[in-house]
Amino acid sequence: MSGACRLLGHRMTFGTDGAVMHFHCERGCGTTGYKTYPTAADAARYAGAFNRRDSDDLGKRAPLLGLLPLRLWRLIRRPSPARRGPGQDPSPAE
């Protein structure tokens, strides 16, 4: 195991050969293996899913992080039940 793998973990790459999915560490530490699936389509589907990196979708998840300050501001600014006046209580029980 290389020093980078010891410190950061393996960086696995997945490929297929028919119904067999092969994997190995990109950092060259020698970790390798394979898994056989019932069909070649299953192997390709899993290899494609495992090859995705979090950094590939970074821009797609930005709105959640970008809107977090606004959501927190609205949560703070929401009137508490004690501060509501008569006739402003939205509870249907009364």
Side-chain angles (χ1 to χ4, degrees), residues 27-46:
R27 294 189 173 117
C29 69
T31 301
T32 186
Y34 68 94
K35 181 172 181 172
T36 304
Y37 287 92
T39 65
D42 287 339
R45 184 180 57 165
Y46 281 104

Side-chain angles (χ1 to χ4, degrees):
M1 183 184 295
S2 72
C5 291
R6 229 178 263 136
L7 182 64
L8 303 171
H10 295 291
R11 184 177 212 160
M12 303 304 280
T13 300
F14 299 85
T16 60
D17 183 20
V20 179
M21 179 181 69
H22 298 276
F23 51 91
H24 69 279
C25 181
E26 285 182 351
R27 294 189 173 117
C29 69
T31 301
T32 186
Y34 68 94
K35 181 172 181 172
T36 304
Y37 287 92
T39 65
D42 287 339
R45 184 180 57 165
Y46 281 104
F50 290 145
N51 273 331
R52 277 191 220 125
R53 303 277 185 236
D54 288 340
S55 60
D56 294 343
D57 295 332
L58 193 58
K60 294 177 184 175
R61 291 194 306 254
L64 175 64
L65 296 175
L67 294 176
L68 183 62
L70 179 61
R71 289 180 186 194
L72 292 174
W73 174 254
R74 287 183 178 168
L75 182 66
I76 292 169
R77 297 287 297 166
R78 186 183 317 157
S80 68
R83 293 191 325 198
R84 289 189 186 125
Q88 293 180 338
D89 191 8
S91 62
E94 293 181 36

